[in-house]
Amino acid sequence: MKILVLNCGSSSVKYQFFDLDKNLALCKGLVDRIGMAGAVLAHSRYDGEKINLVAEILDHTMAIEYVVAILMSKNHGVIATQKDIDAVGHRVVHGGETFSGSIKITDDVIRVLHENIGLAPLHNPPNIKGIQAVTRLLPDTPQVGVFDTAFHSNMPHKAFLYGIPYELYKKHKIRRYGFHGTSHRFVSASAASMMNKDISELKIVTAHLGNGCSMAAVDRGKSIDTTMGFTPLEGLLMGTRSGDMDPSVILYIMGKEELTSSEANTLLNKHSGLTGISGESSDMRDIITSMKEGHKRSRYAFEVFCYRIKKYIGAYAAAMGGLDALVFTGGIGENSADVRAEVCKDLGFLGLEIDGKKNDSREDDISAPNSRVKVFRISTDEELVIARDTQEIVKGN
Ligand code: AMP
């Protein structure tokens, strides 16, 4: 089966096209700056062929029209006709409490996605636009929604309820949802197969550390807790997001700095985290370089970042009553030996120790030979999960 995977953002469409029968990603690309002057489509094929197009791309429908056209292009494409696209899988950020797994898109599903816009005002509208664009362009092609929140949807009440009046949870759906679920699902399953064990026997902590960062406690294949909450602002320190803090701080800053709620939202989402503490950058590479040059605030940012991850490893080992594996993924988790070393320092009491040489040489299994807990560095592949889910659901129908 050939599956087109789409990840529609507010001004971008990321795509990847898979031939699952051959286990091959045939091509992938990004349409960026949609609705702005000089939109760019960057396309690359599995054989290394690459092309960049600059065009006026006014909206998501046009962007997806370009994507379908380049898939069929004589020189750069991989298929002959639109009919070669068997199904389209969409990354959808927020499934709310309705969707606990991937689902075939129907009018009812679109209606619920609309109802959930309030929970993800930045993300769900472009996801819906992408679905509607495909409905217009490829009306006979089945579509599937794969939700960032779904993997966490079976968290117990003790993990997802906030300590606020229960009526507010019922009335406004204010609870912890968690995000990056597709990534946590993929890397925890990969870790189990690398250990040659069934995931139903394992207690795994997964750390997805990219621009956004979150961790999950994956107990026998199910996420029982995760660090992101009602929105992706809770939990770990991130590039520009604050993560956990005393909620009173927000009210105090709003009073002292005379900020509106929208300004406070921008402060916490865009000017905090690594950027806020270091005053230098949101990029971990810059933070590490400047820390090594002796910049004090960059060292604080690095230390807060790693310390929070370490604390959640302990918390989740306690929540699961044990720990068999720790997985690092995401741009930082996969690439920063410094972060992995700092996080894993002094965790010998948990039976967790990494091998410094393996960590530096970017092996997949970076555990020390005597470490009871396995430590992995695994490249996440959310698009592949979306393609596989899409195939399974379409075949099942
Ligand atoms: P992602 O959102 O998963 O694409 O991750 C992006 C982040 O990964 C960037 O902002 C960088 O901070 C981080 N990153 C990428 N490569 C490295 C590296 N070699 N060392 C440290 N951080 C890195």
Side-chain angles (χ1 to χ4, degrees), residues 200-257:
S200 62
E201 299 166 21
L202 295 170
K203 297 170 193 295
I204 304 174
V205 169
T206 48
H208 178 110
L209 311 175
N211 280 322
C213 300
S214 71
M215 291 169 67
V218 184
D219 190 359
R220 291 164 286 175
K222 293 203 161 38
S223 169
I224 60 145
D225 204 348
T226 189
T227 56
M228 282 179 169
F230 180 59
T231 73
L233 183 57
E234 191 179 347
L236 302 177
L237 195 80
M238 305 177 220
T240 58
R241 293 178 226 159
S242 65
D244 292 337
M245 63 195 294
D246 178 346
S248 305
V249 173
I250 301 157
L251 303 174
Y252 191 76
I253 296 176
M254 285 174 75
K256 285 281 176 197
E257 297 286 323

Side-chain angles (χ1 to χ4, degrees), residues 31-42:
V31 187
D32 211 359
R33 299 178 58 84
I34 296 170
M36 299 177 217
V40 182
L41 189 161

Side-chain angles (χ1 to χ4, degrees), residues 14 208-212 239 274 282-286 288 329-339 362 380 382:
K14 246 196 211 169
H208 178 110
L209 311 175
N211 280 322
L274 294 173
S282 64
D283 191 308
M284 184 53 88
R285 285 165 289 203
D286 300 336
I288 291 173
T329 191
I332 300 172
E334 289 165 37
N335 296 306
S336 178
D338 290 313
V339 166
R362 304 167 49 89
T380 194
E382 289 156 284

